Amino acid sequence: MVTAIVMSLLLVAALGVFAWLIVPRFRLLLRLANESRVDHLGTRLWGTLKFAFGQARMPREPVAGFAHIFIFSGFLVVSIATITHFAHAYDPSWHFPGLGGQAGLVYLLVKDVFEVLVLLGVMYGLWRRLKPTPSRVGRSWEGVFVLVMIFTLMITDFLTYGGEHVVHGTSALPYNPAGYVAALLLTPLGTSGAHLVALVSWWIHCVAILVFLNFLPIGKHFHVITAIPNVFFRNLRPRGELVKIDLEASETFGLRATSDLTWKMALDAYSCTECGRCNVFCPTHLTNKPLSHRQLNLDLKHALYADKPTLLTGDKSKVEALEPLVGGRISPDTIWACTTCGACENECPVLIENIPRIIAMRQHKVLMEGDVAPELARAFKGMEQNQNPWGIGSDQRDAWAQGLDVPRAADLKAKGEPIELLYWVGCAGSFDDRTKKITLAMVKILRAAGVKFAILGKEEGCTGDSARRAGNEYLFQTMATANVELLNSYGVKKILTHCPHCLHTLSVDYPQFGGHYELVHHTQLIEQLVAAGKLELKHEVKSSVTLHDSCYLGRYHDIYEAPRKALKSVRGLKLVEMPRNKSRGVCCGAGGARFWMEENIGERINVHRAKEAVACGTDTVSSSCPFCLTMLKDGVAELGKDESVKTLDVAEIVAQAI
């Protein structure tokens, strides 16, 4: 009776404190902007099983990943025993339905195996946090405390069962091997001594659980509570798709203060595990830029907590007076450093959406404050006046095709002929002298394979990718609307492009404006033509090539094999992979409109990537994106290797073999 009363008092106190800590945090979510995340329940449940319970992304770093899997899965298994311990305060013979008799013994064996795995994971975790050279997780008293708590839970469970075996004279083998070892250690204490140790261990186990429960909301381990819901409410839209702003209905745009965050953005901040995986392949972090996604999550979380009293009052005047995020809690250099490469989101085990909120902060700076870097402002002006960021006269867009007799869409329409394939050349392929060579190589390939195609010529406009990722949603929507109207007027169904940014914008962004097209990247088409025997590569190209993976082609569209197969189809060519490749390749630094901006902080990203490419020892560095090619070309030149190392697009190499 006394045990039951004491346990009841502990439970009431602990759960009361937990509610006092947790309720305001979830009230805060309800105060923030609404965002619908309850569609496709089956897909959401499956994703939760895969990423939250199945820990699908953890093995990307095998040792640390499996250590976490051991701890997480072990904690789930041991929780059955923990609940049983609490129930025994009221009924010492209670067990979960179905876990009596033989089934209960099997559970004991499974529990012991998982508890040992948990201890292995905990010891590895402690070593990572306490070793002389800090790992990416850093040193954290909180992390050490939590690991020690978990260690305590496992050991006290062993001792509780071991003491009971000594008291009752039962055999622990073969179903309770850990309990057997504990019983061997406790046997010299005698029955009364073993009973005392078991009783103390039982109380320590139960109290530790309650302390742990109330520790979770006050630190980074809040993610233990929020990570599973965060995965459930993950983004199910095409990767990289941004929310379309209603420019007519909205009075303010973008993200100014914590009051402008959506509840999902806040849940993301709550759920950050501070593991640092987001920084491992982040080009800004690797080159000492001020952007660290882990730190950004911390800054947003701290800002939310600081503003919580004001946000919960709902007082409009006070809410509008909240300190701005950018320029207040977050440096402007932080949000403008991002290349939107997606490495952070690709690595995050709890599927935090970093990029949309960065772009939302840019939107406020650009649309509401007119705060734009001069070089980016020039690119915007070029898009507004001449439909390209270079600002070159739009009448020069198809000058590259002079004398080539390339069909125009308008001519085919006038003849009543369908446009089987529209070649979207893009701004770089039309105006940049280096990239024009990729365009010409593609024309050569298309004609060699007998592919019927057409271009828009002077009618083609900028897709607006850079404008949207830089936060200029108004300019982007203007260009997108005009382009969709033009494409639909020609009845375009299938579009070829050699620019991954054009591919992404046309396939992911344009459906928001009524533009639904089948997009094919030029490396995909080359692969298909070679496989079908339509493109014959007669000549050897004796060259060693390393391939840089475009972020917008790879991470955003999972196109990794097409460029490789296209290169491997060339006789005499040797492909050498960079150490960091495919989904773990490092950005060239051009994405997120960074191509148009100066880079004055830390190491230049393109140089960082070029170093890795040059270190492969090949005579050629290849890419499948015109912006990547330019960045790599400049990086190789800055390293003084431009005379010995060529930079070529996949199409240029393939064209040599025709």
Side-chain angles (χ1 to χ4, degrees), residues 29 82 598:
L29 293 183
T82 297
E598 296 295 334

Side-chain angles (χ1 to χ4, degrees), residues 114 400 633:
F114 274 92
W400 61 269
K633 177 177 71 69

Side-chain angles (χ1 to χ4, degrees), residues 614-645:
V614 169
C616 291
T618 60
D619 58 55
T620 303
V621 176
S622 183
S623 77
S624 47
C625 168
F627 295 103
C628 290
L629 187 69
T630 300
M631 298 298 278
L632 290 169
K633 177 177 71 69
D634 292 347
V636 169
E638 191 159 331
L639 294 173
K641 299 290 185 180
D642 49 323
E643 301 218 351
S644 57
V645 179

Side-chain angles (χ1 to χ4, degrees), residues 101-123:
Q102 190 69 23
L105 294 175
V106 171
Y107 167 71
L108 284 180
L109 177 59
V110 173
K111 175 187 72 68
D112 278 11
V113 170
F114 274 92
E115 282 182 325
V116 171
L117 293 176
V118 169
L119 290 176
L120 291 174
V122 165
M123 287 187 286

Side-chain angles (χ1 to χ4, degrees), residues 431-657:
F431 296 104
D432 179 66
D433 288 339
R434 174 63 189 87
T435 309
K436 288 177 187 178
K437 296 178 181 179
I438 302 174
T439 307
L440 295 173
M442 270 312 299
V443 171
K444 181 179 180 181
I445 289 169
L446 292 169
R447 285 183 164 164
V451 176
K452 291 183 178 180
F453 71 98
I455 63 172
L456 290 171
K458 293 180 177 62
E459 292 184 285
E460 184 183 287
C462 179
T463 62
D465 162 74
S466 292
R468 188 169 226 195
R469 270 80 203 166
N472 196 337
E473 181 74 4
Y474 179 83
L475 176 57
F476 165 73
Q477 290 198 19
T478 300
M479 291 187 288
T481 302
N483 285 331
V484 167
E485 184 178 344
L486 178 67
L487 289 168
N488 289 349
S489 71
Y490 283 124
V492 172
K493 302 296 182 185
K494 186 173 182 179
I495 300 175
L496 163 71
T497 178
H498 60 248
C499 177
H501 296 269
C502 291
L503 179 141
H504 180 77
T505 307
L506 290 165
S507 64
V508 173
D509 292 333
Y510 276 28
Q512 296 178 341
F513 302 87
H516 300 275
Y517 317 109
E518 178 189 351
L519 267 293
V520 59
H521 189 252
H522 73 312
T523 59
Q524 292 177 300
L525 184 62
I526 291 169
E527 176 200 351
Q528 294 165 9
L529 293 173
V530 172
K534 295 180 179 179
L535 182 63
E536 186 178 357
L537 305 182
K538 302 176 182 178
H539 303 291
E540 280 192 343
V541 178
K542 293 184 178 180
S543 178
S544 57
V545 178
T546 190
L547 177 68
H548 165 79
D549 288 286
S550 160
C551 302
Y552 271 74
L553 189 64
R555 290 198 190 96
Y556 281 88
H557 292 274
D558 202 30
I559 300 174
Y560 294 110
E561 294 306 317
R564 287 166 171 80
K565 289 181 178 179
L567 289 172
K568 289 176 181 178
S569 66
V570 177
R571 291 183 296 115
L573 184 145
K574 178 186 177 184
L575 180 62
V576 179
E577 292 284 5
M578 291 194 211
R580 297 176 295 184
N581 60 69
K582 295 186 177 179
S583 67
R584 294 195 138 179
V586 175
C587 179
C588 71
R594 286 296 320 177
F595 185 84
W596 310 105
M597 301 177 70
E598 296 295 334
E599 189 175 348
N600 301 314
I601 303 174
E603 181 185 22
R604 295 183 69 85
I605 295 173
N606 64 326
V607 173
H608 177 85
R609 185 56 166 166
K611 286 178 181 177
E612 184 174 6
V614 169
C616 291
T618 60
D619 58 55
T620 303
V621 176
S622 183
S623 77
S624 47
C625 168
F627 295 103
C628 290
L629 187 69
T630 300
M631 298 298 278
L632 290 169
K633 177 177 71 69
D634 292 347
V636 169
E638 191 159 331
L639 294 173
K641 299 290 185 180
D642 49 323
E643 301 218 351
S644 57
V645 179
K646 295 176 288 186
T647 48
L648 295 172
D649 186 87
V650 171
E652 292 179 287
I653 295 173
V654 171
Q656 292 177 27

Side-chain angles (χ1 to χ4, degrees), residues 277-293 336-345 347 355 548 551 555 580 583-592 594 599 601-609 612 631:
R277 287 184 179 226
C278 53
N279 290 335
V280 174
F281 297 97
C282 173
T284 62
H285 183 77
L286 293 170
T287 57
N288 300 312
K289 306 290 189 295
L291 172 61
S292 161
H293 291 287
W336 288 110
C338 183
T339 66
T340 68
C341 71
C344 54
E345 295 184 2
E347 298 297 325
I355 296 171
H548 165 79
C551 302
R555 290 198 190 96
R580 297 176 295 184
S583 67
R584 294 195 138 179
V586 175
C587 179
C588 71
R594 286 296 320 177
E599 189 175 348
I601 303 174
E603 181 185 22
R604 295 183 69 85
I605 295 173
N606 64 326
V607 173
H608 177 85
R609 185 56 166 166
E612 184 174 6
M631 298 298 278

